[in-house]
Amino acid sequence: MSANLPTVISQQLGSSLDGQVHTDIFSRGRYATDASIYQMMPLAVVVPKNFDDVKRTLDFASQNSLSILPRGGGTSQCGQTVNHAIVLDNTRYLNQIIEIDIPGMRCVVEPGIVLDELNRVLKPHGVWFPVDVSTSSRATIGGMTANNSCGSRSIRYGLMRDNVIAIESLLADGTSKRFDTLDISKGYQTEISDPLTQSLLSLGAREQREIEQRFPRVMRRVGGYNIDALIPGQTQANLSHLLVGSEGTLAYSRTIELKLSPLPRKKLLGVCHFPTFHDAMDSAQHLVTLGPVAVELIDRTMIDLSRDIPMFRDVVNQFVRGEPEAILLVEFAENDAGENTRRLKALNDMMAELGFEFNNSKEKCGGVVEAIDPSFQSAIFEVRKQGLNIMMSMRDDRKPVSFVEDCAVELKDLAEYTARLTEIFHKHDTRGTWYAHASVGCLHVRPVLNLRLDKDIKAMRAIAEECFDMVLEYKGSHSGEHGDGICRSEFHEKMFGIRMVTTFRDIKQLFDPHNTMNPGKIVDPPKMDDASLFRFQPEYAVPEFKTALKWTGWSGSGGGFQGAVEMCNNNGACRKLTGGSMCPSYRVTRDEQHLTRGRANTLRLALSGQLGEDAFTSDSMAETMKLCVSCKACKNECPTGVDMARMKIEVNAARFEKHGATVHDKLIAELPKYAPLASKVPWLFNLRNRIPFIRSLTESLTGMSRQRDLPTWRRDIYSHGTETGPSDGKAVILFGDTFNTYFEPENLRAARNVLLAAGYRILSPKPASDNNRPLCCGRTYLTTGMADKARSEIKRLLDTLEPHIAAGVPVIGLEPSCLLAMRDEIPVATDDPRAQQLSNCAVMLEEFLAREKPDLNLKPIGKKALIHGHCHQKAHNVMSDVEQVLKMIPELEVETIESSCCGMAGAFGYAKETIDVSKKMAEARLLPAVRNAEAETFIVADGTSCRHQIKDGADRETLHVARLLEISLNS
């Protein structure tokens, strides 16, 4: 092979596949990391469209002595899914359900299907696949199989191994083979002709005694290969269990047959509070005797961090009473509701018998908070599911590091084990974070370290050595859930002995004699503290650079921008396909490039010089960011708070600084400047929508797609500058954004009428410059990277509003992207202290009305309102205010569409390069819901772009909330 291996792979392999082959450094960099501390640049990334593509790739790798790495969601904690190999990304195409057999309680799936998506299909049948890992929104069945995943309820349902029936596989040489259950009742090798199977069974017979003596007897043992599936003394042997937990080192799973379970219909949850961590650990062995399906730990660190995260704060304050040092979530899910009630009562009784009651002194203060409502239970478990990500939200160079993460011991030893491990941490000048599966003695524990420091790398090695010695002493498992990968495979000899490790090598040799499949995992691994494999290697550095925005609160270059980017720990929460809003472009493309995680990795690699010179301002970076719609869902939904919309402003600003602005960008950015002129001759500017030739011409000149009408210019614009309302009324400012002023002035008039009806005095301060041009928030300039022009608009805004915001007068807005920019972008775009005053005063109309609760004397207007929330309303958690205000209208049923971004996203949906993606985003949830709504149902959306998308895609008139309130006022 040529020295320029990626190019050769692209030329020789790419032409033979139906799917895609990516060999550029940007694409490979996006697959160089997983959720571990490691980074290994792949040779290429193949996105197979079918299994013929997989076979061709395996053949190519075999012929050229290259390695292969099958990959699902890429969320492995131990470095299983990074390698100097050709990565096979199964998630985009190989994600289908092949068969569902409800009478047989089984299904067959392809490896790339996500657990939540599978269970969403299974739910109407009353069944589920119960290995409920916390990463269920992005974990693929193939990845879970390779990892032998477990989940919160493994005490009831077992591990992945216990729920896999068979695997159709491709071996490293491209041979197809089915691994399933063998009948060995007539003798261990009777009538078995397949040489591989014969060899495997012979190995099991040979090593039976060693396996029985050396394998830990705890339930949570996922280290090494599952060669205990091969031992005699049973009537059946399921060879697929040997592939489960093999981390892609033995074969490629083409299809996986799974065992299904009845879906629990009735659940009760007891939240047990403890005054000390030791008390919680010691109590776990008693609580499990009540027969729960889960006993999950949340420690004090996680409680405190959760309270600092907006999406978790409210629910944590509901289920946490006082200041416990640890909490155990004890769930009962029997078919008989009465039995669950009995067990929950028994839980209260047991806690009291153990001496924990809320009215006790501090030393024994504890008890049970009961969660009866199913939605409350789900919200609590969602906090627990996000445990890792909550822990990783620390804004510090020291982070919880996974390497002794999942050691498992017997429950009777759990309290002593955790106490001794805490002493080890203290010995090495650190502390641990704790959460997860107290029911099975497997806790996710992470020492807090900074692996950019040599002393902390040495501490990691020492902690690992001492911890695994202790686990061996307790006859526990050093690998209890998240597998081996790079960080634990090295310790197999210590845990299992040299003979067992030799047997693991024999297994690898039988399956993969040329070491093609994900080498260096389980067998012959590198050292876990080999810093050359770290994400932050010893030579890792980010030069100082200038930023357009402030990044206070993070560390590193660019005033903290480096640290903000590095907050992405690759947990992959942005890969969820339903629920919430993140990440809309990925939901359409299923492409790692168009994902918050993918963009963050690209930014990190570019800033640190790993993608070549000027990567940050390159065309490849622009392409990486192109489909980011700046929805800000990641700001709210990413557990580590990665705000890609804000980061995109930095990319655009740097690119503008180097390359200037395109005609398309200028047309967007300068809208507030030329809008007054357009409103004087609207017929001229509207010709574009009416004449096909002009549509085509402007598409080529401006990049605005001819497929859409642009917003219609109006002559009857909203008139600014007139104070109105009772002189003794409470003063408010109605901020007239550019979009509502010039395109839909009826919305501002409606808002004015609503506020007047409520008795407010409406101020309309006039700017002292620029010929009385209306005020602007600077959003259009920020979006296109013209930071200096944005600051000029912001200064003009602050100069005009200064006396009012200093007095705390509310600044009420209608357009979410503009008004909420005052709370979000403006304070970080300028050093002017008045920006924070504006942020404190800025409020959406619905927020203001929900807070003030004025008597509007609203009247019935119809049966139902269907709401689509603007992305920024969701990101700033103001949708509940929208719902609350609409419910003030008598007899009106209010329903919010569960949708992601509408796809219009300002100018995104108008651009010829992105209009197709825009339409696909709208068709995912929003437009079907609108089309299915009855004709008399009000369709409500506050965002200008959202209303236009709905009109274009569903031909339904859509109203701003202010309009609906005005209609109710006048009825």
Side-chain angles (χ1 to χ4, degrees):
M1 295 290 286
S2 165
N4 191 358
L5 199 52
T7 301
V8 175
I9 293 171
S10 177
Q11 292 172 346
Q12 295 187 11
L13 181 60
S15 61
S16 68
L17 303 185
D18 295 324
Q20 296 88 43
V21 177
H22 302 294
T23 56
D24 63 282
I25 188 67
F26 275 72
S27 295
R28 291 188 289 129
R30 285 186 274 270
Y31 288 82
T33 49
D34 54 13
S36 71
I37 61 176
Y38 301 105
Q39 175 175 303
M40 299 177 73
M41 189 66 70
L43 305 176
V45 177
V46 171
V47 184
K49 205 163 192 176
N50 48 52
F51 290 107
D52 286 340
D53 280 356
V54 175
K55 189 176 188 311
R56 291 188 191 105
T57 304
L58 286 170
D59 290 343
F60 176 83
S62 178
Q63 292 164 11
N64 294 283
S65 301
L66 302 177
S67 300
I68 290 290
L69 168 60
R71 175 161 155 150
T75 60
S76 297
Q77 303 291 317
C78 306
Q80 294 96 318
T81 53
V82 295
N83 218 321
H84 300 310
I86 298 174
V87 173
L88 284 165
D89 183 349
N90 294 316
T91 60
R92 187 168 186 180
Y93 299 115
L94 305 182
N95 52 26
Q96 301 302 302
I97 300 173
I98 305 302
E99 180 185 0
I100 297 177
D101 174 11
I102 299 302
M105 296 298 283
R106 51 178 285 280
C107 71
V108 180
V109 302
E110 292 178 343
I113 190 169
V114 171
L115 176 59
D116 274 357
E117 299 308 302
L118 172 61
N119 278 332
R120 193 167 286 109
V121 175
L122 295 174
K123 185 175 181 179
H125 300 285
V127 299
W128 70 321
F129 185 67
V131 185
D132 58 333
V133 294
S134 62
T135 53
S136 61
S137 65
R138 60 269 196 199
T140 64
I141 295 298
M144 292 170 61
T145 300
N147 204 52
N148 197 8
S149 296
C150 306
S152 298
R153 297 168 177 87
S154 61
I155 192 174
R156 172 66 58 89
Y157 297 104
L159 285 61
M160 197 71 188
R161 171 180 177 173
D162 302 308
N163 293 277
V164 170
I165 299 171
I167 298 175
E168 292 277 359
S169 68
L170 291 172
L171 301 182
D173 62 2
T175 303
S176 295
K177 180 171 175 57
R178 180 178 173 85
F179 291 86
D180 58 6
T181 301
L182 291 174
D183 182 358
I184 56 174
S185 58
K186 297 180 181 178
Y188 207 56
Q189 297 196 41
T190 303
E191 300 178 356
I192 296 174
S193 58
D194 173 54
L196 176 58
T197 303
Q198 286 184 344
S199 298
L200 292 173
L201 294 178
S202 295
L203 184 147
R206 184 192 80 195
E207 298 299 323
Q208 179 177 1
R209 180 177 176 83
E210 185 74 5
I211 292 168
E212 290 173 344
Q213 289 182 344
R214 296 304 302 256
F215 269 23
R217 298 193 179 278
V218 294
M219 175 187 177
R220 289 299 195 92
R221 196 273 307 160
V222 302
Y225 292 124
N226 290 324
I227 56 177
D228 55 329
L230 304 174
I231 62 175
Q234 49 195 354
T235 59
Q236 293 182 328
N238 192 330
L239 296 189
S240 73
H241 293 173
L242 187 60
L243 296 186
V244 176
S246 64
E247 301 186 355
T249 63
L250 301 182
Y252 174 92
S253 296
R254 178 172 177 167
T255 62
I256 304 162
E257 185 175 345
L258 305 172
K259 181 176 72 174
L260 305 178
S261 295
L263 189 66
R265 296 294 186 186
K266 304 174 180 67
K267 298 179 184 178
L268 289 178
L269 179 64
V271 183
C272 299
H273 292 52
F274 296 92
T276 71
F277 184 83
H278 186 276
D279 286 332
M281 296 300 92
D282 189 51
S283 299
Q285 61 186 311
H286 305 294
L287 303 185
V288 297
T289 63
L290 299 176
V293 298
V295 181
E296 295 290 291
L297 168 70
I298 296 177
D299 80 343
R300 179 59 179 269
T301 300
M302 186 169 160
I303 293 169
D304 290 343
L305 288 171
S306 299
R307 284 171 167 162
D308 290 335
I309 299 174
M311 67 184 295
F312 298 131
R313 183 181 300 125
D314 289 345
V315 67
V316 169
N317 289 337
Q318 289 179 58
F319 75 80
V320 176
R321 183 170 170 181
E323 300 296 334
E325 288 299 312
I327 280 174
L328 293 178
L329 309 179
V330 183
E331 182 182 72
F332 302 105
E334 305 304 313
N335 291 330
D336 181 2
E339 178 61 18
N340 290 326
T341 301
R342 187 193 69 77
R343 295 190 189 194
L344 185 59
K345 182 181 183 304
L347 179 67
N348 280 277
D349 294 341
M350 179 173 284
M351 286 290 288
E353 290 169 7
L354 292 171
F356 303 111
E357 295 187 85
F358 286 119
N359 57 4
N360 285 350
S361 62
K362 182 178 180 180
E363 291 74 17
K364 278 293 185 179
C365 182
V368 181
V369 171
E370 297 183 353
I372 309 300
D373 180 71
S375 61
F376 186 34
Q377 296 172 31
S378 297
I380 294 172
F381 259 97
E382 184 61 27
V383 176
R384 155 57 198 100
K385 283 178 67 175
Q386 297 293 345
L388 165 62
N389 305 316
I390 290 169
M391 296 298 190
M392 296 302 288
S393 68
M394 295 179 180
R395 289 191 185 184
D396 194 289
D397 289 337
R398 286 164 62 94
K399 291 281 195 299
V401 180
S402 172
F403 60 99
V404 292
E405 167 115 346
D406 298 305
C407 298
V409 298
E410 292 187 49
L411 278 180
K412 64 181 179 62
D413 299 321
L414 188 60
E416 184 177 273
Y417 163 73
T418 54
R420 291 177 62 184
L421 188 55
T422 299
E423 291 175 3
I424 292 174
F425 294 160
H426 289 166
K427 173 183 172 182
H428 295 283
D429 194 28
T430 187
R431 61 186 177 85
T433 62
W434 309 77
Y435 65 102
H437 319 299
S439 58
V440 287
C442 178
L443 299 179
H444 297 333
V445 53
R446 293 187 167 210
V448 179
L449 299 167
N450 179 5
L451 295 187
R452 304 180 210 207
L453 302 177
D454 184 62
K455 72 179 185 66
D456 279 18
I457 295 175
K458 290 177 179 176
M460 179 175 73
R461 160 63 66 175
I463 290 169
E465 297 278 5
E466 294 175 44
C467 173
F468 293 149
D469 283 342
M470 184 169 59
V471 170
L472 187 60
E473 177 187 334
Y474 284 114
K475 295 182 170 51
S477 169
H478 70 310
S479 186
E481 177 167 11
H482 289 155
D484 302 330
I486 298 173
C487 70
R488 281 195 277 273
S489 294
E490 174 192 348
F491 296 96
H492 288 336
E493 187 169 321
K494 172 180 285 192
M495 303 306 300
F496 296 118
I498 191 168
R499 175 167 178 158
M500 189 74 73
V501 170
T502 301
T503 302
F504 291 162
R505 288 197 183 98
D506 292 343
I507 292 287
K508 174 71 168 172
Q509 180 69 21
L510 286 170
F511 276 87
D512 183 22
H514 300 296
N515 201 26
T516 299
M517 304 297 295
N518 200 14
K521 314 294 160 54
I522 299 181
V523 168
D524 299 322
K527 292 289 186 182
M528 58 90 75
D529 55 342
D530 180 351
S532 70
L533 301 179
F534 285 178
R535 188 184 307 178
F536 303 110
Q537 299 171 9
E539 64 272 18
Y540 180 92
V542 175
E544 193 53 67
F545 61 99
K546 180 183 176 183
T547 58
L549 307 177
K550 295 185 296 182
W551 294 89
T552 307
W554 289 277
S555 61
S557 299
F561 181 58
Q562 173 192 348
V565 169
E566 291 171 359
M567 285 299 293
C568 178
N569 68 340
N570 284 264
N571 67 78
C574 42
R575 290 176 66 94
K576 63 185 178 183
L577 298 173
T578 56
S581 301
M582 179 176 67
C583 175
S585 52
Y586 175 74
R587 292 183 182 190
V588 169
T589 67
R590 305 288 181 94
D591 189 334
E592 184 76 18
Q593 175 178 346
H594 306 305
L595 178 70
T596 304
R597 179 179 74 178
R599 297 179 185 113
N601 275 322
T602 305
L603 287 171
R604 175 179 55 80
L605 292 167
L607 290 173
S608 56
Q610 298 179 67
L611 299 181
E613 190 175 354
D614 294 328
F616 190 67
T617 55
S618 67
D619 290 346
S620 294
M621 180 62 75
E623 192 67 21
T624 298
M625 305 300 292
K626 183 170 75 174
L627 296 191
C628 173
V629 292
S630 299
C631 66
K632 289 192 169 290
C634 49
K635 173 184 172 69
N636 185 50
E637 297 175 28
C638 172
T640 58
V642 173
D643 186 349
M644 190 52 59
R646 188 168 158 189
M647 293 174 186
K648 185 176 181 179
I649 293 174
E650 290 291 357
V651 174
N652 288 346
R655 190 167 173 82
F656 172 72
E657 181 94 8
K658 183 169 184 177
H659 301 290
T662 65
V663 172
H664 180 81
D665 287 344
K666 289 177 181 177
L667 194 63
I668 297 166
E670 301 289 356
L671 175 64
K673 291 284 183 71
Y674 64 76
L677 171 62
S679 69
K680 289 181 171 56
V681 284
W683 60 269
L684 179 62
F685 280 77
N686 291 333
L687 284 177
R688 181 266 180 200
N689 289 347
R690 298 173 186 169
I691 301 176
F693 168 73
I694 300 180
R695 278 181 182 265
S696 299
L697 180 63
T698 55
E699 181 180 77
S700 61
L701 291 176
T702 69
M704 293 295 186
S705 173
R706 58 185 168 183
Q707 296 181 47
R708 284 196 200 273
D709 282 352
L710 295 178
T712 302
W713 292 95
R714 303 269 290 269
R715 182 182 291 276
D716 60 331
I717 66 171
Y718 182 77
S719 178
H720 295 265
T722 303
E723 180 176 326
T724 184
S727 59
D728 60 346
K730 180 178 177 180
V732 298
I733 295 170
L734 178 58
F735 176 74
D737 61 273
T738 300
F739 308 103
N740 282 302
T741 294
Y742 293 100
F743 300 126
E744 298 178 86
E746 59 272 13
N747 294 332
L748 284 165
R749 295 185 187 110
R752 181 187 61 194
N753 292 338
V754 169
L755 291 170
L756 289 175
Y760 295 101
R761 179 165 56 95
I762 302 174
L763 308 181
S764 190
K766 300 173 68 172
S769 61
D770 207 0
N771 298 319
N772 292 327
R773 178 173 61 85
L775 294 172
C776 172
C777 67
R779 156 72 67 186
T780 57
Y781 290 114
L782 284 173
T783 298
T784 51
M786 302 181 191
D788 288 339
K789 288 193 173 185
R791 279 187 276 272
S792 177
E793 287 294 307
I794 292 168
K795 182 179 185 304
R796 182 169 172 269
L797 176 68
L798 296 174
D799 287 345
T800 304
L801 298 184
E802 178 176 5
H804 306 291
I805 58 178
V809 175
V811 179
I812 301 171
L814 303 188
E815 173 57 38
S817 61
C818 292
L819 187 285
L820 295 173
M822 299 178 188
R823 295 227 289 255
D824 199 346
E825 285 93 353
I826 287 179
V828 298
T830 176
D831 292 323
D832 193 324
R834 297 175 300 177
Q836 189 55 53
Q837 292 180 328
L838 175 62
S839 175
N840 296 338
C841 293
V843 60
M844 292 295 298
L845 174 68
E846 296 90 346
E847 289 181 289
F848 179 76
L849 295 177
R851 182 179 72 200
E852 296 284 312
K853 297 181 174 56
D855 182 9
L856 289 171
N857 191 27
L858 299 175
K859 304 172 187 66
I861 57 173
K863 292 182 179 179
K864 186 174 182 179
L866 190 63
I867 311 170
H868 167 69
H870 186 284
C871 291
H872 294 184
Q873 287 177 303
K874 297 171 188 173
H876 287 269
N877 295 310
V878 299
M879 283 307 298
S880 59
D881 294 311
V882 177
E883 295 167 352
Q884 181 180 336
V885 166
L886 286 182
K887 287 177 181 177
M888 293 165 57
I889 300 175
E891 303 175 16
L892 185 66
E893 178 188 350
V894 177
E895 179 184 343
T896 299
I897 302 170
E898 185 185 337
S899 59
S900 186
C901 178
C902 74
M904 190 62 86
F908 181 88
Y910 293 105
K912 65 179 181 181
E913 290 187 345
T914 51
I915 187 171
D916 291 339
V917 172
S918 167
K919 290 181 176 181
K920 288 177 182 177
M921 288 182 186
E923 292 292 351
R925 288 293 182 94
L926 172 60
L927 293 184
V930 171
R931 293 189 193 110
N932 291 333
E934 295 180 357
E936 61 270 21
T937 295
F938 292 106
I939 310 299
V940 180
D942 278 356
T944 301
S945 56
C946 305
R947 292 191 293 274
H948 289 194
Q949 182 77 295
I950 293 169
K951 176 63 176 175
D952 281 359
D955 196 25
R956 288 288 297 265
E957 182 185 9
T958 308
L959 300 177
H960 192 285
V961 170
R963 293 276 310 282
L964 211 59
L965 293 174
E966 183 185 45
I967 292 169
S968 179
L969 273 175
N970 296 333
S971 292

